[in-house]
Amino acid sequence: VELWQDGAWSALEPLDPPVAQHLSLVDRQGRLLVIGGSDEATTNLVRALARPGGAWEDLAPLWSAREDLAGGLLPDGRIAVFGGRPVHGSPDALPVREVELLGLDGTWELGNRQVQARYEGVTVPLSDGRIAVIGGHARSKVIQDVSVYSHLPKPKRVTVEDTAPPEEPPEAPTEAPTP
């Protein structure tokens, strides 16, 4: 692991075990995360490096081992992990469709499944907080589409009844005084 800083490269603490075909990104706390990947086999390991010169810390593992995965940082600070391959080096393995979300509390939860399962896709953050997942492979075929992932719930459909003020119960009839 190397760091480019102030115009020069410096070596950081090596990963043990080493890993390739992983996802690397920086989380909201500024930690370098290494997620999934493979060495001899596909892994679900998640590791964090809080500062240069520090030691790697194991975080909660992914629910499913995957290599060639993609991911991004959501506006609320969670990490979204997309796609990947569950079997090391197998172009015929079915890509992973599940999206996993790493919460600020360090636990994983499942997000909305991808429409197109893929591995070797590329992610791009969009200005509205969504993440575009571009291209990649599904088995041996090249994917030429773009999927857009939103962490936001679908908006509730507002109807006229939803916006009308609540009806008040009718007042009890009063009897007119008799003369």
Side-chain angles (χ1 to χ4, degrees):
V1 179
E2 293 180 294
L3 173 69
W4 175 260
Q5 186 175 11
D6 301 325
W9 288 102
S10 59
L12 299 179
E13 183 72 23
L15 284 168
D16 187 22
V19 67
Q21 298 166 282
H22 57 280
L23 169 65
S24 294
L25 51 79
V26 175
D27 71 5
R28 193 176 192 171
Q29 291 82 31
R31 300 178 300 179
L32 172 61
L33 300 184
V34 173
I35 301 172
S38 62
D39 179 17
E40 298 284 326
T42 304
T43 183
N44 64 345
L45 293 177
V46 179
R47 292 170 277 180
L49 184 65
R51 59 181 173 70
W56 288 98
E57 171 190 357
D58 288 333
L59 302 182
L62 289 162
W63 288 6
S64 59
R66 46 177 100 185
E67 66 181 19
D68 297 323
L69 59 159
L73 183 63
L74 296 169
D76 62 5
R78 292 181 298 165
I79 305 285
V81 173
F82 306 99
R85 252 191 304 213
V87 180
H88 177 58
S90 173
D92 294 324
L94 287 173
V96 179
R97 185 173 297 234
E98 285 70 31
V99 174
E100 294 188 51
L101 303 169
L102 178 60
L104 299 176
D105 63 356
T107 62
W108 289 95
E109 65 178 305
L110 290 178
N112 299 327
R113 293 179 76 189
Q114 291 181 261
V115 173
Q116 172 67 58
R118 68 184 78 216
Y119 60 90
E120 296 178 344
V122 175
T123 56
V124 176
L126 302 176
S127 61
D128 63 2
R130 296 178 301 159
I131 297 176
V133 185
I134 304 167
H137 291 89
R139 291 199 173 188
S140 297
K141 98 179 175 184
V142 176
I143 299 172
Q144 297 178 341
D145 74 349
V146 175
S147 297
V148 177
Y149 183 81
S150 175
H151 69 291
L152 302 172
K154 290 184 178 179
K156 179 183 172 203
R157 185 173 179 191
V158 177
T159 64
V160 174
E161 292 81 28
D162 292 335
T163 59
E167 289 186 29
E168 294 197 20
E171 291 184 25
T174 57
E175 294 184 29
T178 54

